[in-house]
Amino acid sequence: MKKIVVAIDGPAGAGKSTISKLVAQKLGIEYIDTGAMYRAVTLKIIRNKIDVSDDVTLEKMLNSTEITLENGKVYLDGEDVSTEIRQLYVSGRVSEIAAKQVVRDRLVELQRKMALSKNVIMDGRDIGTVVLKDANYKIYLTASVEERAARRYKEFCQQNSSVTFQEICNDIKERDRIDMNRSYNPLVKAEDAILIDTTGKSIDEVVDEILLIIKNN
Ligand code: C5P
């Protein structure tokens, strides 16, 4: 059977993780959320008040950090941090930390190991361009900023969070700005990725579109 390696990239709130999870379920393959890994590292840096301008300390910390993704949960050094890493105070620092080469090199190495000799769907910002350059399916998911912020706002409201729509909108815009403009492995559409604009589309529609791409190629 042909190996299935799917790379999903795109800006914040484009629906990457929800859609990737569903595609993974339908195909019976593993889903790897690389954003969760950058978030877990960010949480550890915040908690330990690590100076991110000090690459030596950062590298030491990264080498002694264990991040595992299991049954939809994210573990940082054995602790379930799935909920905490989604909080706005983590989102507000993650792009600054993800722009650091020492952080990216370590996480890319881990991500490649996780995907080794498996059928996977992996989502992030540099999957089709860096992590899994040889993926046989590459998708770039996007949507208007307003729609992406509205989706995130709905998620936060469901968790009874007091975050405002404006705060979410600002977070998304700022993360996109940093992610797209960093010098090392910025967010760009891979030349061979298929662009899907999810504005106005339902989750199921996009999932079906991706499944069709995989079936037909
Ligand atoms: O996917 P999510 O929005 O949770 O990712 C959080 C942040 O992690 C992004 O805004 C980006 O700064 C960083 N990230 C990255 N490369 C990836 C995945 C996420 O730089 N492959």
mmCIF file of all heavy atoms in Angstrom, residues 171-203:
data_model
loop_
_atom_site.group_PDB
_atom_site.id
_atom_site.type_symbol
_atom_site.label_atom_id
_atom_site.label_comp_id
_atom_site.label_asym_id
_atom_site.label_seq_id
_atom_site.Cartn_x
_atom_site.Cartn_y
_atom_site.Cartn_z
ATOM 1 N N ASP A 171 -4.183 38.626 18.655
ATOM 2 C CA ASP A 171 -3.245 37.507 18.833
ATOM 3 C C ASP A 171 -2.962 36.840 17.485
ATOM 4 O O ASP A 171 -1.816 36.576 17.131
ATOM 5 C CB ASP A 171 -3.830 36.490 19.837
ATOM 6 C CG ASP A 171 -3.059 35.177 19.848
ATOM 7 O OD1 ASP A 171 -1.878 35.196 20.248
ATOM 8 O OD2 ASP A 171 -3.616 34.139 19.432
ATOM 9 N N ILE A 172 -4.026 36.583 16.726
ATOM 10 C CA ILE A 172 -3.874 35.909 15.436
ATOM 11 C C ILE A 172 -3.054 36.761 14.461
ATOM 12 O O ILE A 172 -2.130 36.274 13.808
ATOM 13 C CB ILE A 172 -5.282 35.567 14.859
ATOM 14 C CG1 ILE A 172 -5.837 34.357 15.599
ATOM 15 C CG2 ILE A 172 -5.238 35.319 13.363
ATOM 16 C CD1 ILE A 172 -7.179 33.889 15.114
ATOM 17 N N LYS A 173 -3.386 38.044 14.401
ATOM 18 C CA LYS A 173 -2.672 38.937 13.467
ATOM 19 C C LYS A 173 -1.194 39.034 13.819
ATOM 20 O O LYS A 173 -0.329 38.999 12.953
ATOM 21 C CB LYS A 173 -3.285 40.340 13.506
ATOM 22 C CG LYS A 173 -4.588 40.440 12.738
ATOM 23 C CD LYS A 173 -5.033 41.895 12.729
ATOM 24 C CE LYS A 173 -6.384 42.049 12.082
ATOM 25 N NZ LYS A 173 -7.035 43.298 12.439
ATOM 26 N N GLU A 174 -0.907 39.144 15.112
ATOM 27 C CA GLU A 174 0.474 39.294 15.556
ATOM 28 C C GLU A 174 1.272 38.005 15.316
ATOM 29 O O GLU A 174 2.414 38.041 14.861
ATOM 30 C CB GLU A 174 0.491 39.697 17.044
ATOM 31 C CG GLU A 174 1.851 39.944 17.650
ATOM 32 C CD GLU A 174 2.679 41.051 16.967
ATOM 33 O OE1 GLU A 174 2.178 41.714 16.051
ATOM 34 O OE2 GLU A 174 3.855 41.196 17.355
ATOM 35 N N ARG A 175 0.639 36.858 15.606
ATOM 36 C CA ARG A 175 1.345 35.586 15.366
ATOM 37 C C ARG A 175 1.619 35.389 13.878
ATOM 38 O O ARG A 175 2.705 34.976 13.483
ATOM 39 C CB ARG A 175 0.548 34.411 15.928
ATOM 40 C CG ARG A 175 0.730 34.286 17.431
ATOM 41 C CD ARG A 175 0.385 32.932 17.927
ATOM 42 N NE ARG A 175 -1.045 32.686 17.949
ATOM 43 C CZ ARG A 175 -1.611 31.563 17.527
ATOM 44 N NH1 ARG A 175 -0.883 30.580 17.037
ATOM 45 N NH2 ARG A 175 -2.917 31.403 17.603
ATOM 46 N N ASP A 176 0.625 35.709 13.039
ATOM 47 C CA ASP A 176 0.831 35.589 11.588
ATOM 48 C C ASP A 176 1.983 36.481 11.135
ATOM 49 O O ASP A 176 2.814 36.076 10.329
ATOM 50 C CB ASP A 176 -0.429 36.012 10.814
ATOM 51 C CG ASP A 176 -1.539 34.983 10.901
ATOM 52 O OD1 ASP A 176 -1.301 33.890 11.453
ATOM 53 O OD2 ASP A 176 -2.650 35.267 10.415
ATOM 54 N N ARG A 177 2.012 37.717 11.667
ATOM 55 C CA ARG A 177 3.063 38.661 11.264
ATOM 56 C C ARG A 177 4.439 38.075 11.604
ATOM 57 O O ARG A 177 5.320 38.032 10.747
ATOM 58 C CB ARG A 177 2.855 40.002 11.997
ATOM 59 C CG ARG A 177 3.765 41.119 11.521
ATOM 60 C CD ARG A 177 3.652 42.351 12.412
ATOM 61 N NE ARG A 177 4.135 42.143 13.771
ATOM 62 C CZ ARG A 177 5.401 42.063 14.143
ATOM 63 N NH1 ARG A 177 6.345 42.192 13.241
ATOM 64 N NH2 ARG A 177 5.743 41.862 15.410
ATOM 65 N N ILE A 178 4.585 37.574 12.828
ATOM 66 C CA ILE A 178 5.894 37.029 13.230
ATOM 67 C C ILE A 178 6.197 35.749 12.447
ATOM 68 O O ILE A 178 7.292 35.561 11.929
ATOM 69 C CB ILE A 178 5.949 36.775 14.758
ATOM 70 C CG1 ILE A 178 5.675 38.062 15.535
ATOM 71 C CG2 ILE A 178 7.292 36.174 15.166
ATOM 72 C CD1 ILE A 178 5.548 37.889 17.047
ATOM 73 N N ASP A 179 5.208 34.855 12.339
ATOM 74 C CA ASP A 179 5.439 33.563 11.672
ATOM 75 C C ASP A 179 5.810 33.738 10.196
ATOM 76 O O ASP A 179 6.619 32.990 9.654
ATOM 77 C CB ASP A 179 4.190 32.666 11.774
ATOM 78 C CG ASP A 179 3.888 32.238 13.211
ATOM 79 O OD1 ASP A 179 4.788 32.360 14.061
ATOM 80 O OD2 ASP A 179 2.756 31.792 13.477
ATOM 81 N N MET A 180 5.198 34.734 9.540
ATOM 82 C CA MET A 180 5.449 34.917 8.105
ATOM 83 C C MET A 180 6.728 35.701 7.826
ATOM 84 O O MET A 180 7.252 35.641 6.729
ATOM 85 C CB MET A 180 4.264 35.641 7.453
ATOM 86 C CG MET A 180 3.021 34.778 7.390
ATOM 87 S SD MET A 180 1.619 35.744 6.810
ATOM 88 C CE MET A 180 0.328 34.498 6.792
ATOM 89 N N ASN A 181 7.187 36.441 8.824
ATOM 90 C CA ASN A 181 8.344 37.319 8.576
ATOM 91 C C ASN A 181 9.627 36.879 9.255
ATOM 92 O O ASN A 181 10.659 37.545 9.080
ATOM 93 C CB ASN A 181 8.002 38.752 9.005
ATOM 94 C CG ASN A 181 6.955 39.338 8.083
ATOM 95 O OD1 ASN A 181 7.200 39.531 6.898
ATOM 96 N ND2 ASN A 181 5.758 39.569 8.609
ATOM 97 N N ARG A 182 9.600 35.788 10.031
ATOM 98 C CA ARG A 182 10.846 35.384 10.695
ATOM 99 C C ARG A 182 11.860 34.978 9.615
ATOM 100 O O ARG A 182 11.474 34.525 8.522
ATOM 101 C CB ARG A 182 10.580 34.251 11.691
ATOM 102 C CG ARG A 182 10.150 32.964 11.064
ATOM 103 C CD ARG A 182 9.833 31.897 12.125
ATOM 104 N NE ARG A 182 9.229 30.749 11.483
ATOM 105 C CZ ARG A 182 8.159 30.102 11.931
ATOM 106 N NH1 ARG A 182 7.560 30.469 13.046
ATOM 107 N NH2 ARG A 182 7.690 29.063 11.280
ATOM 108 N N SER A 183 13.160 35.100 9.963
ATOM 109 C CA SER A 183 14.161 34.823 8.934
ATOM 110 C C SER A 183 14.374 33.322 8.752
ATOM 111 O O SER A 183 14.701 32.861 7.659
ATOM 112 C CB SER A 183 15.468 35.518 9.293
ATOM 113 O OG SER A 183 15.855 35.125 10.587
ATOM 114 N N TYR A 184 14.183 32.539 9.819
ATOM 115 C CA TYR A 184 14.457 31.099 9.738
ATOM 116 C C TYR A 184 13.155 30.322 9.562
ATOM 117 O O TYR A 184 12.275 30.349 10.435
ATOM 118 C CB TYR A 184 15.173 30.666 11.025
ATOM 119 C CG TYR A 184 15.813 29.302 10.959
ATOM 120 C CD1 TYR A 184 16.808 29.025 10.035
ATOM 121 C CD2 TYR A 184 15.425 28.290 11.833
ATOM 122 C CE1 TYR A 184 17.406 27.778 9.975
ATOM 123 C CE2 TYR A 184 16.031 27.040 11.796
ATOM 124 C CZ TYR A 184 17.018 26.793 10.856
ATOM 125 O OH TYR A 184 17.604 25.560 10.797
ATOM 126 N N ASN A 185 13.016 29.642 8.434
ATOM 127 C CA ASN A 185 11.831 28.812 8.141
ATOM 128 C C ASN A 185 10.487 29.510 8.403
ATOM 129 O O ASN A 185 9.678 29.042 9.202
ATOM 130 C CB ASN A 185 11.879 27.506 8.949
ATOM 131 C CG ASN A 185 13.095 26.672 8.611
ATOM 132 O OD1 ASN A 185 13.746 26.907 7.593
ATOM 133 N ND2 ASN A 185 13.412 25.713 9.449
ATOM 134 N N PRO A 186 10.255 30.613 7.711
ATOM 135 C CA PRO A 186 8.973 31.317 7.907
ATOM 136 C C PRO A 186 7.795 30.529 7.329
ATOM 137 O O PRO A 186 8.002 29.559 6.582
ATOM 138 C CB PRO A 186 9.177 32.614 7.112
ATOM 139 C CG PRO A 186 10.178 32.270 6.068
ATOM 140 C CD PRO A 186 11.091 31.237 6.666
ATOM 141 N N LEU A 187 6.600 30.972 7.685
ATOM 142 C CA LEU A 187 5.395 30.355 7.115
ATOM 143 C C LEU A 187 5.231 30.854 5.683
ATOM 144 O O LEU A 187 5.005 32.044 5.447
ATOM 145 C CB LEU A 187 4.164 30.760 7.945
ATOM 146 C CG LEU A 187 2.806 30.489 7.304
ATOM 147 C CD1 LEU A 187 2.571 28.998 7.107
ATOM 148 C CD2 LEU A 187 1.676 31.072 8.147
ATOM 149 N N VAL A 188 5.375 29.935 4.741
ATOM 150 C CA VAL A 188 5.089 30.231 3.325
ATOM 151 C C VAL A 188 4.419 28.996 2.742
ATOM 152 O O VAL A 188 4.623 27.886 3.230
ATOM 153 C CB VAL A 188 6.357 30.508 2.465
ATOM 154 C CG1 VAL A 188 6.884 31.891 2.634
ATOM 155 C CG2 VAL A 188 7.437 29.470 2.689
ATOM 156 N N LYS A 189 3.679 29.193 1.702
ATOM 157 C CA LYS A 189 3.065 28.040 1.033
ATOM 158 C C LYS A 189 4.158 27.330 0.233
ATOM 159 O O LYS A 189 4.906 27.973 -0.497
ATOM 160 C CB LYS A 189 1.948 28.540 0.109
ATOM 161 C CG LYS A 189 1.252 27.445 -0.659
ATOM 162 C CD LYS A 189 0.261 28.058 -1.639
ATOM 163 C CE LYS A 189 -0.077 27.135 -2.774
ATOM 164 N NZ LYS A 189 1.049 26.647 -3.572
ATOM 165 N N ALA A 190 4.265 26.014 0.403
ATOM 166 C CA ALA A 190 5.230 25.263 -0.412
ATOM 167 C C ALA A 190 4.777 25.362 -1.867
ATOM 168 O O ALA A 190 3.573 25.384 -2.143
ATOM 169 C CB ALA A 190 5.252 23.794 0.036
ATOM 170 N N GLU A 191 5.735 25.440 -2.776
ATOM 171 C CA GLU A 191 5.376 25.584 -4.198
ATOM 172 C C GLU A 191 4.437 24.488 -4.673
ATOM 173 O O GLU A 191 3.553 24.709 -5.491
ATOM 174 C CB GLU A 191 6.641 25.543 -5.042
ATOM 175 C CG GLU A 191 7.232 26.918 -5.239
ATOM 176 C CD GLU A 191 8.496 26.884 -6.055
ATOM 177 O OE1 GLU A 191 8.683 25.940 -6.840
ATOM 178 O OE2 GLU A 191 9.301 27.818 -5.883
ATOM 179 N N ASP A 192 4.650 23.278 -4.138
ATOM 180 C CA ASP A 192 3.839 22.148 -4.595
ATOM 181 C C ASP A 192 2.638 21.864 -3.678
ATOM 182 O O ASP A 192 2.026 20.803 -3.757
ATOM 183 C CB ASP A 192 4.715 20.888 -4.731
ATOM 184 C CG ASP A 192 5.553 20.620 -3.482
ATOM 185 O OD1 ASP A 192 5.619 21.490 -2.592
ATOM 186 O OD2 ASP A 192 6.145 19.525 -3.397
ATOM 187 N N ALA A 193 2.285 22.821 -2.816
ATOM 188 C CA ALA A 193 1.110 22.618 -1.940
ATOM 189 C C ALA A 193 -0.158 23.085 -2.640
ATOM 190 O O ALA A 193 -0.132 24.037 -3.431
ATOM 191 C CB ALA A 193 1.298 23.389 -0.641
ATOM 192 N N ILE A 194 -1.258 22.424 -2.326
ATOM 193 C CA ILE A 194 -2.554 22.835 -2.872
ATOM 194 C C ILE A 194 -3.182 23.816 -1.887
ATOM 195 O O ILE A 194 -3.273 23.532 -0.689
ATOM 196 C CB ILE A 194 -3.467 21.602 -3.069
ATOM 197 C CG1 ILE A 194 -2.853 20.680 -4.119
ATOM 198 C CG2 ILE A 194 -4.891 22.017 -3.453
ATOM 199 C CD1 ILE A 194 -3.547 19.335 -4.265
ATOM 200 N N LEU A 195 -3.594 24.957 -2.389
ATOM 201 C CA LEU A 195 -4.189 25.992 -1.535
ATOM 202 C C LEU A 195 -5.688 25.744 -1.372
ATOM 203 O O LEU A 195 -6.396 25.564 -2.355
ATOM 204 C CB LEU A 195 -3.961 27.368 -2.170
ATOM 205 C CG LEU A 195 -4.609 28.535 -1.438
ATOM 206 C CD1 LEU A 195 -3.726 29.002 -0.293
ATOM 207 C CD2 LEU A 195 -4.869 29.689 -2.383
ATOM 208 N N ILE A 196 -6.123 25.713 -0.103
ATOM 209 C CA ILE A 196 -7.570 25.628 0.148
ATOM 210 C C ILE A 196 -7.963 26.810 1.028
ATOM 211 O O ILE A 196 -7.484 26.936 2.156
ATOM 212 C CB ILE A 196 -7.970 24.305 0.844
ATOM 213 C CG1 ILE A 196 -7.566 23.095 -0.004
ATOM 214 C CG2 ILE A 196 -9.475 24.269 1.118
ATOM 215 C CD1 ILE A 196 -7.926 21.734 0.604
ATOM 216 N N ASP A 197 -8.827 27.668 0.515
ATOM 217 C CA ASP A 197 -9.352 28.781 1.308
ATOM 218 C C ASP A 197 -10.642 28.287 1.963
ATOM 219 O O ASP A 197 -11.607 27.962 1.279
ATOM 220 C CB ASP A 197 -9.619 29.989 0.402
ATOM 221 C CG ASP A 197 -9.998 31.225 1.215
ATOM 222 O OD1 ASP A 197 -10.458 31.077 2.367
ATOM 223 O OD2 ASP A 197 -9.833 32.337 0.698
ATOM 224 N N THR A 198 -10.619 28.210 3.295
ATOM 225 C CA THR A 198 -11.756 27.616 4.013
ATOM 226 C C THR A 198 -12.821 28.647 4.385
ATOM 227 O O THR A 198 -13.800 28.310 5.052
ATOM 228 C CB THR A 198 -11.281 26.863 5.283
ATOM 229 O OG1 THR A 198 -10.814 27.826 6.233
ATOM 230 C CG2 THR A 198 -10.177 25.879 4.990
ATOM 231 N N THR A 199 -12.625 29.917 3.966
ATOM 232 C CA THR A 199 -13.617 30.955 4.301
ATOM 233 C C THR A 199 -14.988 30.532 3.754
ATOM 234 O O THR A 199 -15.111 30.213 2.571
ATOM 235 C CB THR A 199 -13.216 32.321 3.681
ATOM 236 O OG1 THR A 199 -11.865 32.570 3.985
ATOM 237 C CG2 THR A 199 -14.094 33.446 4.215
ATOM 238 N N GLY A 200 -15.969 30.507 4.654
ATOM 239 C CA GLY A 200 -17.329 30.181 4.235
ATOM 240 C C GLY A 200 -17.583 28.696 4.024
ATOM 241 O O GLY A 200 -18.678 28.293 3.644
ATOM 242 N N LYS A 201 -16.558 27.865 4.268
ATOM 243 C CA LYS A 201 -16.755 26.417 4.085
ATOM 244 C C LYS A 201 -16.927 25.740 5.433
ATOM 245 O O LYS A 201 -16.328 26.169 6.431
ATOM 246 C CB LYS A 201 -15.542 25.800 3.382
ATOM 247 C CG LYS A 201 -15.429 26.174 1.920
ATOM 248 C CD LYS A 201 -14.246 25.461 1.280
ATOM 249 C CE LYS A 201 -14.081 25.928 -0.158
ATOM 250 N NZ LYS A 201 -12.810 25.522 -0.731
ATOM 251 N N SER A 202 -17.695 24.640 5.461
ATOM 252 C CA SER A 202 -17.839 23.898 6.712
ATOM 253 C C SER A 202 -16.629 22.978 6.885
ATOM 254 O O SER A 202 -15.909 22.689 5.915
ATOM 255 C CB SER A 202 -19.118 23.063 6.689
ATOM 256 O OG SER A 202 -18.937 21.975 5.802
ATOM 257 N N ILE A 203 -16.433 22.514 8.122
ATOM 258 C CA ILE A 203 -15.320 21.593 8.405
ATOM 259 C C ILE A 203 -15.442 20.347 7.520
ATOM 260 O O ILE A 203 -14.477 19.913 6.898
ATOM 261 C CB ILE A 203 -15.327 21.210 9.905
ATOM 262 C CG1 ILE A 203 -14.932 22.430 10.728
ATOM 263 C CG2 ILE A 203 -14.416 20.042 10.203
ATOM 264 C CD1 ILE A 203 -15.175 22.293 12.214
#
